[in-house]
Amino acid sequence: MTSIVGHFFLFTLVAIGGLIVPLLIGRLVRPKLPTAEKDSIYECGEPTIGSSYIQFDLRFYVVALLFIIFDVEVAFFFPWAMVYGTATQLADPALSEPQREVLSQTLLGDANATAVAADTARQLAWTGFFDILVFFSVLLVGFAYVWKRGDLDWVRAVAEQAKQAAARPRTPPPVEAPAPSQPREPVGV
């Protein structure tokens, strides 16, 4: 128990030192030459106009977050494909014993691994198949939720107006009867 506390204390000291030491070095090394131009607010090469307290459109962040989430989740398909492909190859009963040993070593990541039996590989392949179905269905449910919420619509106001216009019953505009023509009075009388 004492060694765990000692390790935790040492880890905490290293973590705090790893945060504080670069800040202190930067404070000592960097030049201190403040000028009015350096202290002015600068954004994207343009001088600021108006207040910075404006309502910013969050759709850019939503699109970026959705991309990152789905991109990271799709990256999990690659290790699965490696395991599933190797397991389906090992499930072939016609595979020779030396080939089975090489594939088993690839699948297990161990150079001293023994050959995996075809039945075990078939069971692993089916388990992997159902695992990816669950994973992919969770992705699809998340995608459907985001789509239903309207987060994929670039301009929500335009999309909402289109929905409201489609929901309204289409009735032709009322036809007005023409006004009865009145006789004209002669000009200059």
Side-chain angles (χ1 to χ4, degrees):
M1 184 68 174
T2 307
S3 67
I4 293 174
V5 173
H7 286 292
F8 183 72
F9 181 70
L10 181 63
F11 176 76
T12 304
L13 286 178
V14 170
I16 291 172
L19 294 172
I20 293 176
V21 168
L23 292 173
L24 290 175
I25 291 172
R27 186 175 188 96
L28 295 173
V29 173
R30 70 176 166 247
K32 297 175 186 79
L33 303 171
T35 63
E37 188 174 348
K38 285 184 181 179
D39 289 339
S40 68
I41 298 171
Y42 182 78
E43 183 177 338
C44 302
E46 297 291 327
T48 56
I49 299 172
S51 173
S52 61
Y53 297 103
I54 58 171
Q55 187 175 7
F56 191 77
D57 195 357
L58 294 178
R59 63 184 169 197
F60 301 107
Y61 295 118
V62 170
V63 170
L65 285 173
L66 289 174
F67 172 76
I68 290 170
I69 289 168
F70 285 109
D71 190 43
V72 167
E73 288 178 351
V74 168
F76 287 117
F77 281 113
F78 296 110
W80 170 84
M82 178 69 182
V83 170
Y84 181 74
T86 307
T88 53
Q89 285 179 343
L90 281 169
D92 184 12
L95 199 63
S96 69
E97 196 60 32
Q99 291 173 331
R100 186 172 299 282
E101 284 185 23
V102 170
L103 285 173
S104 297
Q105 291 169 358
T106 303
L107 178 66
L108 300 174
D110 184 11
N112 300 324
T114 58
V116 175
D119 292 336
T120 306
R122 191 175 303 108
Q123 183 180 5
L124 179 63
W126 278 111
T127 303
F129 179 73
F130 288 117
D131 282 347
I132 204 67
L133 283 180
V134 169
F135 179 77
F136 195 65
S137 62
V138 168
L139 273 179
L140 286 179
V141 167
F143 184 70
Y145 172 74
V146 166
W147 192 344
K148 179 70 177 160
R149 268 192 49 180
D151 286 341
L152 298 178
D153 295 330
W154 188 248
V155 181
R156 284 191 183 190
V158 174
E160 190 63 35
Q161 289 173 357
K163 284 181 189 176
Q164 290 175 355
R168 279 190 233 121
R170 297 187 182 260
T171 57
V175 178
E176 295 181 14
S181 60
Q182 297 178 353
R184 290 185 174 191
E185 294 182 16
V187 179
V189 176

